[in-house]
Amino acid sequence: MVKVITGGLDKLSDEKPSETHFQTGISAIVDGNHSAGIVVMKEALQLALEKATQSGCGIVGTNHTATGSGAIGYWAKQLADKGMIGIVLSQSPEYVTPHGATEAIFGTNPFAIGVPSENGSVVVDMATSAASWFGLVESDRAGQQVAADVGYNAAGHSTTDPAAIYKGGSIRVFDRSYKGSNIALMIELLAGPLVGGAVEDKLGSKNWGNLMIVLDPKIMGDSKKILHDVQLMLARVKGARKAEGVQEIMLPGERGDRLAEQRLAAGKIDIPKSLYQGLKDMVADGTATPAPQPTSTLPHSPITSITPEAASISSTSPTVTSTMPDVTGTNPHPNSISSPSPVLSSTSTGLTSTTQGASSSSNGVPIITSIIPEATQWSDGEAGTSGGSISERQASGRTAQLAASSSGRAMPADITGQQQQQFEEDVQGQQHQEQQALQAQQPLPRRRHLSTKLLHPPQSTDDPYEAVSPPLYQTATFGQPSATTNGPYDYTRSGNPTRTQLETQMADLEGADQAFAFASGMAALAAVLRLVGAGKGVVAGDDLYGGTSRLLAQVAPNLGIQVTNVDTTDIRAVEKVLVAGHTKLLMLESPTNPRMQICDIATLTQMAHQVGALVVVDNSIMAPTFQQPLALGADISMTSATKFLNGHSDIMGGILSVKGPELAKKVYFTQNAEGAILSPFDCWLCLRGLKTMALRMEAQARNCSILAEALSQHPLITKLNYPGLAGSRGHDLNASQATSGGSLFSFETGNVKASQIIAEQTKLFKITVSFGSVSSSISLPCYMSHASIPAEVRAARGLPDHLVRISVGMEHPQDLLDDLDQAMHQAMLVIGQEPVSLAQFAQPQDTEAQLLYKIATLERQLAAKS
């Protein structure tokens, strides 16, 4: 059904009749000519069976099939039911990555082996991938996530988003190891080159191969003895000593056979709500074509309904009719259903149980006569109005189905009392399993809040112990599987699981395809500079971090790179210096450091892209908590891990979050080649710091707003730079692209001595470069972080020596106000100004003081009016 509604069985417009080539007495190749895979496989089965019957062996390959080959276990079973040994190997398009890689090379590559025995056929049927392509599509349709180890996104990162896997990503092999990868490769080799299916782009050429090998046991000896020995082997497996807690050892197919028996006895087949909706949509669109009812020799009673497992079905659902698949041959397991191929037709919009033809054919073929909601119906909006929980109402609905009724969903009328008791026990035994399945179908949130994502990052490494804190891989080298094969990690410069975990989480937070952790923010920006190339140009702001200015002024020219500085708050000025074919990089900060200027990231990015330039945004002041540069169009977001990401001033690091797999490959090459990587322990510390980043930054931003509001009114302050302050320059633009003003601000006093005293006399503000720590800091940038910029350049850019920059921490805001108040009091005395208390401009932080402050404010307003 999944393949039906996802186009997996669609007919191609260029389909032609199949052709058979290279015929010998035991072999042949069937060219499908873009026919449906199931049709071509049926031809191959008949041909291989004929050759095996005549010669004891039949080997038939297929190629150029436009769609999947169906459930290949079905083909193996058909052969085993004929007394033959059937081996079926099937390629598929490039969906699966070899172990240790992240690029899709293999198909899902299922294989099946059918073996006859005295008591019927046994079929081993499995795919070599961790998930099927159609299963991922259906999970995406249903809004479900998948396990973190199922596959990778286009950038090669583990992901729980099924769409990211099947849209440009890759699925992992079933056991996530080289063993499963080797099995997938064997199928590629046998079902590809041997049958004409070894092409570089299987999906694009609509050409993937299948190989069917049929052996008559008679060519290996006494066929009766072989079937007897097979049965003995199966009996040994069934009778093996059971592990603790195991009730029964199941042979391949037994669980499915029993489930089929229960469904047949119940007269219904449960399907997920999303599948049911997909079938209804197909009927409404008129995309399905009715076909004649197939025939079968299976002596089953009619299946009277298919019931959606989720009960929130609209009362206007169309009736959908269908038939059983074509199942031929003698079937030792009469309750096995192997190849669903429903035929759909729209009849009406009521909830009727209209049948298509007779309830069963003359030879006992079961006919699925309708798809209808369960006996107990309610819509999503009515789930709480019918009394009892959802699970209770479902249970009562199932109980009602156990007794005879006129609804068409009853137990078959000819069932015996003993069968009824067994039926009831089977249904009750499935309730827990079905409830779990129902819960699994509930769509998970497609987008979680950042504070939740910080605590529940995507897992990029396999940890058998499920440690709450990510493991630390403090090692330089890793052992390899063998002398000629490589594991996923070999040398920490090239990759380390702890660094991968940090990079994966940062890519998730930034909305990037891939992220890269460097030894410092400057190492990260230096790697970006490598993308430019000699003879090309960089356009950058004129108010930048001092280290960035040094990199552009003294390192870039030695690489043959021309740098142009411009006021990035002036869009027209930027537009004038962007030169098509020459400018390869636009480097932005917003807010800028230290004057907190705001530039229009989205507009500037669009302008840069028009001339073929990449855009990198230094997002260290805002971090992904408050601003998402990639969402605004930037190609790279650089965030200093030294600052808010870690938040505790105990590591140095820089993260490049990159959009686009090709750009990511270039950045990774530089990271690996030059080796400026973040150490595993520093990555681990940063991962720990990320857990509290949202709480820290929100608290710091609140404190910063309080301090900036008070200082902006104080007479000693001639200018205050903070984009979170209403009415300030850049406030509205910042509010349109960021969610906060941040926790950094700067101010001018007009007097270097006054600024120096303020910095030196505070007790809670440590004089230090950098910012973003949980504790507050203060600095004079022109003498510290920006001292490398020549004085005349600083003056030309409007960066005065008396500028003070403050990074606000998590201390109580009242304590910070009091500390600044006493330092400013001393500064005003020294420069000969009458001291003015900061307290009269600051809103007190305790409840009683706040009330008194509001009263005093009202009194001043009334006095002013009078």
Side-chain angles (χ1 to χ4, degrees):
M1 290 184 183
V2 173
K3 292 184 179 181
V4 168
I5 65 174
T6 55
L9 300 178
D10 286 356
K11 182 178 180 179
L12 292 188
S13 58
D14 60 349
E15 176 184 325
K16 298 177 182 178
S18 62
E19 300 174 350
T20 302
H21 304 288
F22 306 109
Q23 284 249 38
T24 71
I26 65 169
S27 64
I29 299 292
V30 179
D31 185 335
N33 281 328
H34 293 171
S35 296
I38 290 178
V39 174
V40 178
M41 285 295 282
K42 185 175 181 180
E43 293 180 21
L45 181 140
Q46 292 170 341
L47 188 56
L49 191 57
E50 289 174 6
K51 294 182 180 295
T53 302
Q54 296 170 3
S55 306
C57 176
I59 305 173
V60 177
T62 73
N63 58 42
H64 290 104
T65 52
T67 56
S69 306
I72 64 168
Y74 170 76
W75 308 116
K77 189 175 188 307
Q78 296 303 298
L79 294 169
D81 289 348
K82 294 291 187 181
M84 299 288 183
I85 295 171
I87 303 171
V88 186
L89 311 176
S90 181
Q91 274 188 320
S92 71
E94 295 88 344
Y95 300 137
V96 179
T97 179
H99 181 62
T102 59
E103 178 185 2
I105 301 293
F106 300 150
T108 53
N109 291 10
F111 66 91
I113 300 174
V115 181
S117 75
E118 288 180 331
N119 294 340
S121 304
V122 60
V123 177
V124 179
D125 174 9
M126 63 175 284
T128 55
S129 59
S132 72
W133 189 87
F134 287 100
L136 293 172
V137 172
E138 178 55 25
S139 294
D140 183 32
R141 286 169 51 88
Q144 300 170 3
Q145 293 183 327
V146 296
D149 62 349
V150 165
Y152 303 110
N153 60 20
H157 288 300
S158 296
T159 178
T160 59
D161 181 3
I165 298 174
Y166 75 80
K167 293 181 179 179
S170 58
I171 310 170
R172 297 181 68 180
V173 291
F174 70 94
D175 65 344
R176 287 75 164 173
S177 83
Y178 71 93
K179 296 180 181 178
S181 187
N182 289 348
I183 296 174
L185 177 59
M186 285 193 302
I187 295 171
E188 288 284 344
L189 295 175
L190 293 173
L194 290 181
V195 303
V199 294
E200 185 173 354
D201 183 3
K202 290 178 284 187
L203 185 62
S205 61
K206 289 291 182 183
N207 184 17
W208 46 91
N210 299 278
L211 183 64
M212 193 174 295
I213 303 172
V214 185
L215 301 174
D216 189 335
K218 289 186 294 186
I219 66 172
M220 304 301 293
D222 185 345
S223 59
K224 290 185 178 180
K225 184 179 184 305
I226 292 175
L227 268 60
H228 176 71
D229 291 345
V230 170
Q231 190 60 44
L232 288 179
M233 184 70 250
L234 297 175
R236 288 185 60 195
V237 173
K238 289 288 290 183
R241 185 170 58 249
K242 302 177 185 65
E244 184 178 354
V246 176
Q247 301 298 318
E248 181 184 8
I249 297 174
M250 305 288 283
L251 293 175
E254 280 191 326
R255 184 174 288 103
D257 290 344
R258 293 178 186 179
L259 181 61
E261 291 174 3
Q262 294 166 359
R263 294 294 188 252
L264 288 164
K268 66 184 183 70
I269 299 174
D270 293 336
I271 63 172
K273 180 172 62 176
S274 57
L275 273 182
Y276 179 67
Q277 185 61 47
L279 293 170
K280 292 199 301 178
D281 293 342
M282 285 190 65
V283 172
D285 294 339
T287 55
T289 304
Q293 296 178 6
T295 60
S296 172
T297 58
L298 297 183
H300 295 160
S301 56
I303 296 178
T304 56
S305 69
I306 296 180
T307 304
E309 203 161 8
S312 54
I313 307 297
S314 165
S315 61
T316 60
S317 305
T319 299
V320 184
T321 63
S322 176
T323 64
M324 279 293 290
D326 178 11
V327 184
T328 60
T330 304
N331 189 353
H333 292 282
N335 291 318
S336 295
I337 299 176
S338 304
S339 180
S341 180
V343 180
L344 313 177
S345 66
S346 178
T347 57
S348 66
T349 57
L351 284 178
T352 63
S353 183
T354 305
T355 60
Q356 179 176 331
S359 62
S360 63
S361 67
S362 60
N363 59 4
V365 178
I367 305 300
I368 300 175
T369 55
S370 63
I371 298 180
I372 51 181
E374 291 196 53
T376 304
Q377 303 172 28
W378 60 91
S379 67
D380 288 334
E382 299 167 342
T385 62
S386 300
S389 66
I390 290 178
S391 60
E392 288 170 346
R393 289 195 297 275
Q394 286 179 318
S396 65
R398 293 189 185 100
T399 303
Q401 293 174 17
L402 302 183
S405 72
S406 59
S407 64
R409 291 177 295 278
M411 181 188 307
D414 57 349
I415 195 168
T416 66
Q418 183 178 1
Q419 288 174 323
Q420 177 175 345
Q421 180 180 357
Q422 181 63 45
F423 170 65
E424 293 176 358
E425 291 174 357
D426 289 342
V427 172
Q428 292 171 1
Q430 291 180 57
Q431 285 186 6
H432 178 66
Q433 177 183 349
E434 293 182 11
Q435 288 173 5
Q436 286 183 323
L438 179 64
Q439 292 172 359
Q441 293 168 25
Q442 300 304 314
L444 295 173
R446 289 197 177 270
R447 184 175 182 181
R448 289 176 172 156
H449 293 84
L450 183 130
S451 57
T452 302
K453 294 169 71 173
L454 291 172
L455 295 171
H456 300 278
Q459 297 300 310
S460 62
T461 55
D462 295 327
D463 176 14
Y465 303 106
E466 296 289 337
V468 175
S469 178
L472 168 61
Y473 291 84
Q474 187 62 44
T475 181
T477 57
F478 300 83
Q480 300 305 301
S482 73
T484 58
T485 58
N486 295 324
Y489 299 96
D490 57 359
Y491 194 49
T492 282
R493 171 169 53 78
S494 301
N496 180 285
T498 308
R499 191 168 87 232
T500 300
Q501 181 62 53
L502 174 60
E503 292 173 339
T504 300
Q505 182 167 10
M506 283 303 301
D508 180 56
L509 296 175
E510 294 269 23
D513 288 293
Q514 200 163 346
F516 304 92
F518 289 82
S520 68
M522 291 314 306
L525 289 176
V528 175
L529 201 60
R530 294 290 189 187
L531 300 170
V532 177
K536 302 301 180 180
V538 174
V539 172
D542 62 358
D543 183 29
L544 298 169
Y545 167 57
T548 306
S549 294
R550 179 172 52 236
L551 176 72
L552 295 178
Q554 300 180 43
V555 177
N558 294 333
L559 300 175
I561 298 172
Q562 179 185 347
V563 177
T564 303
N565 294 102
V566 64
D567 180 3
T568 53
T569 66
D570 186 342
I571 292 177
R572 297 294 164 236
V574 176
E575 186 177 29
K576 289 179 181 178
V577 297
L578 290 173
V579 180
H582 176 71
T583 304
K584 293 300 179 182
L585 180 68
L586 174 62
M587 189 174 287
L588 302 174
E589 290 183 12
S590 187
T592 60
N593 178 10
R595 290 193 292 153
M596 308 303 293
Q597 295 179 308
I598 305 299
C599 67
D600 189 336
I601 296 175
T603 299
L604 294 178
T605 295
Q606 186 177 15
M607 289 166 47
H609 287 167
Q610 288 174 352
V611 301
L614 296 171
V615 177
V616 58
V617 177
D618 185 337
N619 198 40
S620 299
I621 292 178
M622 290 300 190
T625 308
F626 294 149
Q627 187 168 262
Q628 302 274 333
L630 300 188
L632 296 170
D635 303 287
I636 303 174
S637 174
M638 198 294 290
T639 308
S640 173
T642 313
K643 300 173 175 63
F644 291 107
L645 299 186
N646 171 258
H648 296 80
S649 294
D650 52 11
I651 73 163
M652 293 189 67
I655 310 291
L656 292 183
S657 300
V658 180
K659 186 164 60 178
E662 291 304 315
L663 182 57
K665 288 180 182 179
K666 295 178 182 179
V667 173
Y668 173 71
F669 177 83
T670 299
Q671 183 194 43
N672 184 43
E674 298 189 345
I677 50 93
L678 193 61
S679 74
F681 185 59
D682 285 344
C683 289
W684 186 84
L685 287 174
C686 190
L687 284 166
R688 185 182 65 171
L690 280 173
K691 293 181 183 297
T692 60
M693 181 172 68
L695 291 174
R696 288 186 281 106
M697 292 190 69
E698 289 163 2
Q700 289 172 266
R702 285 194 299 270
N703 285 353
C704 185
S705 179
I706 293 168
L707 267 61
E709 179 69 33
L711 287 169
S712 66
Q713 303 175 65
H714 196 280
L716 180 59
I717 309 304
T718 59
K719 183 179 182 181
L720 188 134
N721 307 305
Y722 178 59
L725 200 62
S728 65
R729 182 187 178 191
H731 172 270
D732 292 343
L733 177 57
N734 183 72
S736 71
Q737 62 189 25
T739 59
S740 171
S743 59
L744 209 66
F745 70 91
S746 62
F747 61 83
E748 301 175 18
T749 64
N751 189 299
V752 174
K753 189 64 176 178
S755 297
Q756 180 183 355
I757 293 172
I758 292 172
E760 294 175 350
Q761 292 304 312
T762 54
K763 303 297 187 283
L764 300 177
F765 297 80
K766 189 176 292 293
I767 300 177
T768 179
V769 295
S770 195
F771 56 84
S773 178
V774 289
S775 57
S776 298
S777 64
I778 193 168
S779 68
L780 270 59
C782 291
Y783 296 91
M784 300 173 70
S785 57
H786 291 64
S788 62
I789 303 175
E792 62 275 12
V793 175
R794 296 199 305 264
R797 295 179 180 177
L799 187 59
D801 291 349
H802 52 80
L803 184 78
V804 179
R805 189 189 72 187
I806 286 181
S807 174
V808 183
M810 295 180 66
E811 301 90 347
H812 194 285
Q814 190 63 59
D815 294 332
L816 296 176
L817 285 167
D818 292 345
D819 191 29
L820 281 173
D821 190 19
Q822 61 83 22
M824 293 171 70
H825 182 92
Q826 295 184 57
M828 296 183 79
L829 287 175
V830 170
I831 65 174
Q833 288 189 20
E834 182 69 26
V836 177
S837 174
L838 185 60
Q840 64 179 291
F841 306 108
Q843 182 172 338
Q845 298 307 302
D846 58 87
T847 305
E848 182 178 357
Q850 286 178 358
L851 180 59
L852 293 174
Y853 173 83
K854 290 179 180 178
I855 293 173
T857 301
L858 289 172
E859 288 176 344
R860 287 197 301 271
Q861 292 174 347
L862 290 172
K865 289 181 179 180
S866 61

